[in-house]
């Protein structure tokens, strides 16, 4: 029996151990500090998330938390969820040979520079709340993303507010774990009180 706390966490490595260690060795050349968030390595500058790495079933990836600001002249980055994720961008690889160290470092240095300049997307009124944690969950689980889209904007807002009003990261994670089954079951956050 697997310990129960593993069920919602995607397998961070998924057989890409060597490739992810290679990415780490590249990232270690920068001034970023490695932390573990959401069960995977996230690299921060000045306590701000800059990049994360992880392995999925079919690819391993670096994601750039504010990737939207990268020039991306080589068109390496993808938005895992158009219309949903405003700033997060992913660079996916399916083999170690695809990782060009010089190129990866260029992107990372640019991302750090953007962080130093404080480039972030200011939420417009309509999208007052963005939950990067929930976005990561949705990127990993298309069924969840789809189920979430079915809710009215008001109900989506209630979920986001519930998650993001938590002060601490670990509380946010607990709340996300609580709402995922509700979202998948098409149950609004406050339906039982309505």
């Amino acid at each position: 029996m697997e310990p129960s706390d593993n069920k919602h966490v995607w397998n961070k490595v998924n057989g890409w151990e060597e490739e992810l260690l290679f990415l780490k060795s590249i990232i270690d050349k920068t001034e970023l500090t490695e932390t573990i968030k959401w069960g995977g390595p996230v690299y921060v500058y000045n306590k701000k998330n800059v990049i994360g790495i992880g392995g999925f079933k079919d690819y391993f990836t670096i994601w750039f938390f504010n990737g939207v600001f990268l020039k991306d002249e080589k068109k390496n980055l993808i938005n895992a969820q158009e219309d949903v994720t405003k700033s997060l961008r992913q660079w996916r690889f399916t083999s170690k040979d695809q990782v060009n160290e010089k190129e990866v470092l260029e992107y990372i240095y640019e991302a750090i520079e953007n962080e130093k300049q404080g480039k972030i997307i200011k939420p417009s009124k309509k999208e007052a709340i963005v939950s990067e944690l929930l976005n990561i969950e949705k990127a990993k689980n298309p069924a969840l993303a789809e189920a979430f889209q079915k809710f009215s904007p008001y109900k989506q807002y209630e979920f986001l507010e519930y998650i993001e009003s938590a002060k601490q990261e670990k509380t946010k994670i607990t709340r996300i774990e609580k709402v995922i089954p509700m979202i998948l079951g098409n149950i609004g956050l406050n339906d039982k009180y309505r």
Side-chain angles (χ1 to χ4, degrees), residues 1 4 16 25 35-36 42 64 70 72 90 92-93 104 107-108 111-112 116 125 143-144 163 177:
M1 248 318 267
S4 60
W16 299 105
S25 71
T35 59
I36 296 289
V42 168
F64 293 85
L70 295 172
D72 193 22
Q90 277 191 347
R92 295 179 176 177
F93 307 96
V104 168
Y107 275 69
I108 296 173
I112 296 170
K116 288 177 179 173
K125 275 288 173 279
L144 180 68
I163 295 164
E177 284 158 13

Side-chain angles (χ1 to χ4, degrees), residues 8-153:
H8 51 262
V9 176
W10 96 100
N11 166 352
K12 300 303 176 291
V13 177
N14 269 316
W16 299 105
E17 214 145 345
E18 192 189 328
E19 289 80 357
L20 290 171
L21 284 170
F22 180 52
L23 281 182
K24 280 183 175 205
S25 71
I26 296 174
I27 300 164
D28 286 342
K29 297 179 179 172
T30 71
E31 57 193 298
L32 297 177
T33 309
E34 183 179 341
T35 59
I36 296 289
K37 296 187 185 188
W38 315 300
V42 168
Y43 293 84
V44 299
Y45 174 79
N46 231 341
K47 298 198 167 61
K48 296 275 195 295
N49 301 334
V50 179
I51 55 177
I53 61 174
F56 291 86
K57 199 164 82 104
D58 302 319
Y59 59 90
F60 61 103
T61 181
I62 301 184
W63 54 71
F64 293 85
F65 284 91
N66 277 315
V68 64
F69 295 112
L70 295 172
K71 295 188 196 78
D72 193 22
E73 280 152 7
K74 308 246 178 15
K75 300 284 171 272
N76 291 318
L77 304 180
I78 57 166
N79 183 344
Q81 301 159 273
E82 289 298 342
D83 302 332
V84 182
T85 309
K86 297 285 178 271
S87 14
L88 207 68
R89 294 291 180 273
Q90 277 191 347
W91 187 348
R92 295 179 176 177
F93 307 96
T94 50
S95 82
K96 194 168 147 187
D97 310 336
Q98 292 177 349
V99 181
N100 173 329
E101 177 167 341
K102 189 170 151 294
E103 222 170 273
V104 168
L105 281 170
E106 274 170 24
Y107 275 69
I108 296 173
Y109 288 136
E110 190 188 341
I112 296 170
E113 197 43 52
N114 288 343
E115 194 54 64
K116 288 177 179 173
Q117 291 172 17
K119 286 190 183 176
I120 52 166
I121 289 189
K122 300 277 188 289
S124 63
K125 275 288 173 279
K126 199 171 106 290
E127 317 139 347
I129 303 180
V130 175
S131 171
E132 289 294 3
L133 282 165
L134 190 61
N135 286 343
I136 288 173
E137 290 297 332
K138 289 192 296 195
K140 298 187 296 210
N141 183 346
L144 180 68
E146 206 174 307
F148 189 75
Q149 288 307 74
K150 289 188 179 133
F151 285 100
S152 66

